[in-house]
Amino acid sequence: MTAHAPAHITRHAPTPEQRAAAEAFSTGAHLVIQAGAGTGKTTTLAMLARSARRQGRLGRYIAFNRAVARHAARQFPAEVTCGTAHALAYTAVGRKYRARMNAPRQAGWRTGEALGIDDGMSVRIGPRKVDNKALSHTVLRTVTRFCQSADREIAAHHVPPLRGAESAPLHAHLAALALPFAHKAWADLQHPEHGAVRFEHDHYLKMWALRDPVIPADFLLLDEAQDTNPVVEQVFTAQRDHAQLVLVGDSAQAIYGWRGARDVMTGFDGRQLSLSHSFRFGPALAAEANRWLAIVGAPIRLTGSPCLETELRPLRAPEAILCRTNVGAIVEVIRQLDAGRRVALAGGGEALSALARAAHDLEAGRRTTHPELTLFETWPELREYAESDPAGRDLLPLLELVDEHGAESLLRALDRLSPEESAEVTVSTAHRAKGREWASVRIADDFNGPDDLDEQDADGAPLPGPVDIDEARLAYVAVTRARSLLDIGGLSWINTHPAGDPRPPEGRPRT
């Protein structure tokens, strides 16, 4: 089930923190509300919106996606318009490009060909060969990354790194090749009626942002502010001279930095407030979450609801299994299918099927167009990269899986997935699980702890390395998806890590 504010939250009287947020909002001050997992964020925002109605103020709620905006609209008064930044941009700019947005999809290399990237073109970047398909994909991703940024011009840092060519000199070489075509693609997108590049929603969002728009409202509520694209941040913060700005989210759940998102809550000039009473789970799980909050240096600690009991113990048949990577999700899908369970994959199996097909192509001696693996010409070349280059280590489980089962078997397994509503278990990456909740959750074993240092303790045992902050944020998201039962599984290494403070919650032994 999805985990917007659970229905039972609304039956509780407002907490002191919720009342404090409403009182602060009524003053017109800019606010930052740190809302921990399950703390009634949407319910609190609806309280603010109702207080604004009594003051005769009109506002906008800006959500990350349409589903969240629709959910909020059912709780907010009519005086608050609920939507996305893309919806605002579409009204102002995007509608002029409707004809282009209905264009049929086509392979990226065909778009590249229309931009002047000749079929059959091939260049060497260090040990890798970049063909026309890889370059075309890079050009189109460059434009997308520019559109998600706050920059006014396309530049080298918008060119995405490619696996196998991550070093600075190789990336500079790639950027020199890609930038002229990226500029040509952006120029192509300016024509409302026709063009070679398929027109996407991020394109009109960027065009709107470049116009320095003014959003008519007395106040703006920005949800999920910890994962805001720089282009949305730029537009939103530019409204502070005429509108009250309220940023709400959870800085500890900022897990999309790898795709350009920014935590705009940290460092924002506004009054800092928090929501720390979780209505989702009990004190034992709150104590587990707080270990990770301490590691990331979060400004809040959670208090579990005393009327809810959440147990931490091993689970044989959880409702959900949360994985660190897509490859880890494939492993879990196969395990659960072999155990005879009906398995669903959050978000569907398309992304994992594409990865398995790419592995099948390389295994058969063919190059793949998959953006993750496009620079590798053979399966042994990919294996050498995964085994010898730290940047490729996360691919090792995929290689081992293909060697053990074969790519065709992986594809057949993914074809056996069930819809979530009829599945016995849902497998998900932790990234896809964000914003959701289940009664029982097990953490998969691909959440590896940090590598040991070269140093040793007094007994001669190697000292563990520091916990990566991004990994700790992802762990926090994962452990807070459970309502009743949590098996920390692959994260149990934290129990013996110095940063984890293995003391059990509330004096009870940790299982």
Side-chain angles (χ1 to χ4, degrees), residues 3 66 79 128 167 205 219 295 334 351 359 455 459 495 498:
R66 282 182 294 178
E79 289 81 2
R128 310 291 177 203
S167 71
L205 178 67
F219 63 90
I295 291 171
I334 291 174
E455 305 167 38
D459 299 322
N495 289 333

Side-chain angles (χ1 to χ4, degrees), residues 404-438:
E404 181 180 350
H405 297 276
E408 289 187 2
S409 295
L410 301 188
L411 287 166
R412 284 196 297 271
L414 292 169
D415 284 340
R416 293 166 55 198
L417 291 169
S418 302
E420 280 199 57
E421 53 269 22
S422 61
E424 295 171 276
V425 59
T426 297
V427 175
S428 176
T429 62
H431 283 94
R432 281 198 175 273
K434 186 167 173 289
R436 303 191 61 186
E437 62 182 53
W438 293 270

Side-chain angles (χ1 to χ4, degrees), residues 63-65 84-87 89-90 93-94 97 101 105 140-151 154 186 189-190 197-210 227-232 234-235 259-261:
F64 184 73
N65 59 45
T84 64
H86 282 89
Y90 182 82
V93 176
Y97 292 84
M101 281 189 282
R105 293 185 179 276
L140 296 177
R141 282 288 301 140
T142 298
V143 174
T144 298
R145 284 160 59 100
F146 162 66
C147 289
Q148 294 169 347
S149 77
D151 302 321
I154 298 176
W186 183 242
L189 287 165
Q190 307 309 307
V197 182
R198 179 180 168 85
F199 200 94
E200 305 284 356
H201 297 288
D202 281 347
H203 296 147
Y204 66 74
L205 178 67
K206 183 63 175 179
M207 293 174 183
W208 176 64
L210 289 172
D227 281 320
T228 304
N229 278 347
V231 65
V232 175
Q234 176 192 43
V235 173
R259 71 180 190 192

Side-chain angles (χ1 to χ4, degrees), residues 290-292 294-296 450 464-467 472 493-502:
N290 287 339
R291 296 206 290 175
W292 300 100
I295 291 171
V296 304
V467 180
W493 55 263
I494 194 64
N495 289 333
T496 56
H497 193 283
D501 186 8

Side-chain angles (χ1 to χ4, degrees), residues 219-306:
F219 63 90
L220 297 173
L221 310 175
L222 179 64
D223 201 356
E224 296 292 329
Q226 80 282 349
D227 281 320
T228 304
N229 278 347
V231 65
V232 175
E233 174 192 1
Q234 176 192 43
V235 173
F236 181 82
T237 55
Q239 314 302 313
R240 69 178 298 144
D241 289 339
H242 76 274
Q244 180 186 14
L245 305 185
V246 179
L247 288 74
V248 63
D250 186 352
S251 289
Q253 294 191 52
I255 59 174
Y256 289 108
W258 54 274
R259 71 180 190 192
R262 251 178 47 80
D263 174 17
V264 301
M265 304 173 72
T266 303
F268 182 80
D269 183 16
R271 182 173 172 185
Q272 305 285 321
L273 299 164
S274 61
L275 301 175
S276 61
H277 178 92
S278 182
F279 298 93
R280 182 179 299 163
F281 42 71
L285 201 147
E288 178 63 33
N290 287 339
R291 296 206 290 175
W292 300 100
L293 290 172
I295 291 171
V296 304
I300 60 171
R301 299 292 182 268
L302 294 178
T303 302
S305 181

